[in-house]
């Protein structure tokens, strides 16, 4: 039986991993995030499982290796939080590349619909028997232009959803998908023409702050911006300023640049020290969800099954189809 240290465990993770057959693996569930300071809890384990906000820098990698861990299974698609160079040759890294692009694409549209039709405000009003609809005017999505940045698995599904609403779609991706009916434009043209901009690219050096002050200044007045990818794609301070100036009409954020110490935890009794986030959360035309776009039954089931499969492949000496390495 191979012992596997499972970091940053939430009840929904545990439920789905426990009900997935995991022959040969014994999960030890820990609530701590995986960082250089917590890696030591994996002592005696040959594998570890981590998630999006764990901080897997060189020190954490070495800490895991010192404990005897040989494989780190990410139970997510993104891997921007891992020092892959530090792991190279010491620690195998696997991930779940595709657990439910529908979950994320549908949440993206949910944020857009809620923001535009002001459902969050209507919900609060009617709970207080306030049946006024003043100030709740939205706009038809039909005929509007959605600009999609990143046309991989999630971006393509979101494009299909937008087309279902009768929207025009334009897209930017340095590696355009072939054989699809997508109008690719430059990033600058996308910023200029879009009524709604949705981010579906990974966080990398080339995409860090892809939406910064300059980009925001190029956009249409009143543009809606939705980010269900990674927080650091947007310069949050620049976005806040653009919202205060009424240049951005609405923002739906499932991710936030400085989310790692906050998201997935309950701070309802605390004073949040992040002023940018506090202001964003309090704006009537901003909706923040805490990195929950992936959170559907189907996605959790797929995450558990693929992660278990990745670990079993490794311990049985089978090829690792979901391996990531510094080269990729
Ligand atoms: P994917 O790998 O299928 O697609 C990413 C696309 O981005 C590719 O077409 C790629 O060519 C494109 N891209 C790369 N560099 C770019 C650039 N500089 N500008 C524009 N496009 C660029 O990935 P997938 O599965 O569609 O996921 C997209 C992102 O969604 C992930 O990187 C992850 O950050 C995020 N995600 C968020 C979740 C959530 O719960 N909020 C859950 C799962 C993924």
């Amino acid at each position: 039986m191979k012992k596997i240290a499972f970091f940053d465990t939430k009840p929904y993770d545990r439920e789905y991993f426990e009900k997935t057959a995991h022959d040969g693996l014994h999960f030890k569930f820990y609530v701590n995030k995986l960082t250089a300071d917590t890696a030591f809890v994996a002592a005696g384990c040959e594998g570890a499982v981590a998630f999006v906000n764990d901080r897997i820098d060189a020190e954490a990698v070495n800490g895991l290796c010192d404990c005897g861990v040989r494989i780190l299974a990410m139970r997510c698609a993104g891997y921007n939080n891992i020092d892959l160079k530090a792991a190279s040759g010491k620690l195998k890294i696997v991930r779940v590349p595709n657990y439910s692009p529908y979950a994320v694409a549908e949440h993206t549209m949910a944020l857009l619909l809620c923001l535009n039709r002001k459902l969050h405000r209507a919900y609060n009003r009617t709970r207080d028997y306030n049946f006024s609809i003043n100030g709740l005017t939205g706009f038809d999505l039909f005929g509007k232009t959605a600009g999609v940045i990143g046309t991989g698995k999630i971006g393509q599904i979101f494009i299909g959803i937008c087309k279902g609403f009768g929207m025009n779609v334009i897209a930017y991706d340095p590696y355009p998908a072939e054989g699809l009916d997508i109008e690719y434009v430059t990033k600058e043209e996308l910023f200029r023409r879009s009524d709604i901009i949705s981010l579906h690219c990974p966080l990398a050096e080339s995409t860090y702050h892809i939406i910064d002050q300059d980009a925001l200044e190029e956009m249409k007045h009143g543009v809606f911006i939705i980010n269900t990818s990674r927080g650091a794609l947007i310069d949050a301070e620049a976005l806040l300023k653009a919202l205060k100036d009424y240049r951005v009409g609405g923002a739906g954020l499932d991710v936030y640049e400085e989310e790692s110490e906050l998201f997935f935890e309950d701070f309802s009794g605390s004073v949040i020290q992040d002023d940018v986030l506090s202001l964003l959360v309090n704006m009537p035309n901003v909706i923040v969800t805490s990195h929950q776009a992936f959170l559907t039954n189907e996605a959790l089931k797929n995450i558990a099954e693929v992660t278990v499969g990745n670990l079993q492949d490794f311990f049985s000496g089978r090829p690792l189809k979901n391996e990531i390495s510094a080269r990729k």
Side-chain angles (χ1 to χ4, degrees), residues 57-75:
D57 54 16
E59 232 186 303
V61 166
N62 291 336
L64 288 177
C65 294
D66 290 347
C67 289
V69 171
R70 294 186 287 138
I71 179 165
L72 174 64
M74 299 303 293
R75 54 182 196 277

Side-chain angles (χ1 to χ4, degrees), residues 164-309:
F165 275 79
M167 301 179 79
N168 305 314
V169 179
I170 56 177
Y172 167 71
D173 193 316
Y175 312 99
E178 281 172 21
L180 296 175
D181 180 21
I182 298 176
E183 181 190 351
Y184 283 102
V185 297
T186 62
K187 205 167 36 180
E188 293 69 28
E189 186 176 347
L190 183 143
F191 291 153
R192 235 181 11 256
R193 284 177 51 194
S194 301
D195 299 297
I196 289 134
I197 294 177
S198 192
L199 297 172
H200 298 290
C201 56
L203 175 61
E205 253 172 66
S206 64
T207 58
Y208 176 77
H209 284 186
I210 194 167
I211 302 230
D212 59 8
Q213 189 175 330
D214 291 343
L216 288 159
E217 279 169 12
E218 287 178 51
M219 292 175 193
K220 270 191 184 177
H221 190 90
V223 65
F224 273 43
I225 298 174
I226 314 290
N227 186 8
T228 54
S229 277
R230 284 294 179 269
L233 296 174
I234 298 183
D235 177 344
E237 286 193 38
L239 175 66
L240 179 64
K241 187 167 181 309
L243 282 157
K244 284 166 89 174
D245 294 346
Y246 292 96
R247 283 183 287 117
V248 168
L253 308 173
D254 185 52
V255 286
Y256 172 65
E257 201 171 355
E258 304 297 334
E259 72 178 47
S260 62
E261 300 300 319
L262 295 167
F263 281 18
F264 306 130
E265 308 302 332
D266 180 359
F267 290 100
S268 51
S270 313
V271 176
I272 295 296
Q273 301 298 319
D274 184 326
D275 294 347
V276 174
L277 182 62
S278 290
L279 286 169
L280 286 172
V281 163
N282 276 297
M283 288 188 164
N285 53 348
V286 174
I287 297 179
V288 175
T289 52
S290 10
H291 210 133
Q292 71 171 73
F294 74 99
L295 196 64
T296 64
N297 294 323
E298 292 78 2
L300 289 170
K301 181 170 178 285
N302 289 337
I303 287 170
E305 287 176 358
V306 175
T307 304
V308 165

